[in-house]
Amino acid sequence: MSNTLVDIAEFFEADSFILFGESPRRKTFAAAIRKELEKNGRRVFAATRSFDGEIDTESVSYDTCDRAIIAMARKNTKSIVDKLKNSGITRVFLQNGSYDDEILAAFRDAGIAVSKGCVLMYLPESGGIHRFHRWLHSLFAR
């Protein structure tokens, strides 16, 4: 699957998402994503990191949706590809900084479609600087 605006727009038509990347220690980009999704009526099931950095993949109910948003460091993303493959997740959105070519290949090999970029820029309801960034992207990213 390519990373086109149409693919991304379709990704965000869902009403619920599993979100990876929130932390109990500090504010994260994942927390901002969660806030924006919930503000617009979406359900978010968060797989949080523990204080020691482990990702709690077992506390998430994977049968609630088929899409995941990953907003965490690449090293942590690598550790959940197999879990997502076996969970029924069919699409993921990888926030900038959460992937590299190896991770993209791992998702492709697992049969999971990938969109990538800035989640807040692509959320249709995002306003302010994110909407402006989306507009600029539409002009120059061809």
Side-chain angles (χ1 to χ4, degrees):
M1 170 173 287
S2 65
N3 184 34
T4 66
L5 289 174
V6 174
D7 295 333
I8 292 171
E10 191 273 329
F11 180 88
F12 288 112
E13 288 176 359
D15 66 349
S16 59
F17 302 89
I18 295 172
L19 175 64
F20 292 88
E22 284 192 282
S23 171
R25 288 192 177 178
R26 59 185 162 80
K27 290 190 176 204
T28 61
F29 207 79
I33 292 168
R34 179 185 190 136
K35 181 179 177 181
E36 190 68 27
L37 286 167
E38 288 177 341
K39 181 174 86 173
N40 291 289
R42 306 314 204 333
R43 292 183 319 167
V44 179
F45 304 95
T48 58
R49 286 180 283 173
S50 64
F51 284 106
D52 62 1
E54 292 295 314
I55 300 141
D56 183 5
T57 59
E58 300 306 317
S59 67
V60 178
S61 179
Y62 292 94
D63 60 347
T64 56
C65 58
D66 66 347
R67 297 168 198 214
I69 298 171
I70 301 172
M72 57 189 179
R74 285 184 288 276
K75 66 180 181 172
N76 294 325
T77 302
K78 288 178 185 179
S79 71
I80 65 167
V81 173
D82 287 336
K83 178 66 176 177
L84 294 179
K85 175 184 176 182
N86 298 322
S87 70
I89 295 295
T90 60
R91 301 212 39 200
V92 297
F93 192 106
L94 299 169
Q95 173 65 34
N96 291 333
S98 67
Y99 63 90
D100 56 22
D101 290 339
E102 181 183 342
I103 290 169
L104 294 173
F107 277 114
R108 184 176 50 251
D109 293 346
I112 298 173
V114 174
S115 297
K116 55 188 170 74
C118 175
V119 173
L120 293 176
M121 182 181 89
Y122 286 115
L123 276 172
E125 301 88 358
S126 289
I129 192 69
H130 304 295
R131 181 175 295 198
F132 179 67
H133 188 197
R134 184 171 56 241
W135 176 76
L136 285 176
H137 187 268
S138 72
L139 290 178
F140 298 110
R142 302 230 185 265

